[in-house]
Amino acid sequence: MRRLSKSFGPTQALVDVDAEFVGGTVHTVLGENGSGKSTLVKALSGVVVPDSGTIEIDGCIVSQFAPRIMQLHGIETVFQEVLTAPNRSIVENVYLGYHGLWRDRLSRAAQKRSSQEILELLGAPGLDVRLEVDATPLFVQQLTVIARALVREPRALILDEATAALGLAERNALFEVIRELRDRGVLVVFVSHRMDEIMEISNSVTVLRNGAVIDHVDRDHLEPSLLLRLMAPLGV
């Protein structure tokens, strides 16, 4: 990202943001509420069109912003909101939008098997994926959304507060999946307020305040006190 900016009326959500995300790393975006994290995630996901600046992927400048365009680049996003389709099963939600126009890309048996395998990796073994998703606990719905991103085998996975609805066991299982993805060369952009999570999983951290980048901190210099100081509003 180079000098990426976005305003909503008089509110500057992003101000000349420069950042570089590299495959094979877990790159955390950190900041208080209103710091610009969600807008940054939505720009990377194609949901928001920047007012100015550029996003480059593999050296090519992105000229069109839409979720489908970013997905074609291999970017999958799990947003802060738990976005499931009601009155559909877990497996239907995992494969929502995955299929071709005229027929399924995988048999229903293969979809069921794959969904169960991924959800087991995410800490939900033995789950009946034929259940309607809105009849399940919130953590299962969140795992379903994460599984939806994983079945697409992303090159870059964006997790925006994806652990908020998870218990400790599911969070730890997700972290194991994240480490495996990282070791395979996948970029994971991780957004979290939880300092213990950030210290455990991050290779680098970009700190935002009032829409601007305050600092980039690599693994060797990560300290909770430093990150908290960087996050704090001026004068605090």
Side-chain angles (χ1 to χ4, degrees):
M1 289 172 285
R2 296 291 178 264
R3 300 186 65 82
L4 205 70
S5 296
K6 178 65 180 180
S7 295
F8 299 97
T11 302
Q12 286 189 293
L14 296 176
V15 184
D16 290 336
V17 169
D18 289 339
E20 183 175 2
F21 300 144
V22 180
T25 67
V26 179
H27 193 130
T28 292
V29 179
L30 177 65
E32 294 193 328
N33 290 335
S35 63
K37 302 187 305 299
S38 292
T39 303
L40 182 63
V41 165
K42 289 175 181 177
L44 290 173
S45 306
V47 175
V48 162
V49 180
D51 296 329
S52 60
T54 59
I55 295 177
E56 291 186 15
I57 301 175
D58 296 332
C60 298
I61 294 177
V62 176
S63 57
Q64 294 179 298
F65 285 85
R68 183 58 181 159
I69 297 295
M70 292 309 199
Q71 287 177 329
L72 290 174
H73 284 291
I75 299 173
E76 293 291 338
T77 303
V78 177
F79 292 99
Q80 189 170 2
E81 304 83 1
V82 180
L83 302 174
T84 57
N87 304 315
R88 294 195 182 190
S89 68
I90 293 171
V91 63
E92 286 175 311
N93 268 272
V94 169
Y95 279 91
L96 191 68
Y98 181 90
H99 311 298
L101 183 60
W102 300 114
R103 62 185 177 87
D104 291 351
R105 292 164 62 181
L106 290 176
S107 69
R108 293 194 176 185
Q111 292 173 44
K112 179 175 178 290
R113 182 171 60 252
S114 174
S115 297
Q116 288 175 324
E117 290 172 352
I118 292 174
L119 287 163
E120 182 170 355
L121 288 175
L122 291 171
L127 185 64
D128 185 354
V129 297
R130 296 169 298 180
L131 293 172
E132 284 194 5
V133 71
D134 46 345
T136 64
L138 184 60
F139 82 91
V140 172
Q141 297 180 39
Q142 181 67 293
L143 293 179
T144 299
V145 177
I146 295 170
R148 183 191 302 155
L150 293 176
V151 295
R152 288 156 172 80
E153 300 183 349
R155 298 178 60 214
L157 175 64
I158 303 174
L159 299 173
D160 187 2
E161 302 283 1
T163 62
L166 304 183
L168 183 60
E170 295 82 34
R171 188 203 73 170
N172 290 340
L174 173 61
F175 280 6
E176 285 302 310
V177 171
I178 288 174
R179 292 185 183 100
E180 181 181 344
L181 292 172
R182 177 198 63 197
D183 293 345
R184 284 168 26 203
V186 174
L187 163 67
V188 179
V189 178
F190 186 68
V191 180
S192 176
H193 283 98
R194 298 178 177 177
M195 198 59 65
D196 60 329
E197 295 182 349
I198 293 165
M199 296 302 298
E200 179 176 348
I201 204 70
S202 305
N203 295 113
S204 56
V205 176
T206 293
V207 181
L208 295 178
R209 188 200 304 152
N210 297 327
V213 172
I214 300 303
D215 205 352
H216 302 288
V217 186
D218 63 27
R219 180 73 197 179
D220 292 339
H221 298 93
L222 285 182
E223 292 289 345
S225 58
L226 170 63
L227 297 177
L228 290 170
R229 187 165 65 250
L230 292 171
M231 286 174 58
L234 295 175
V236 175

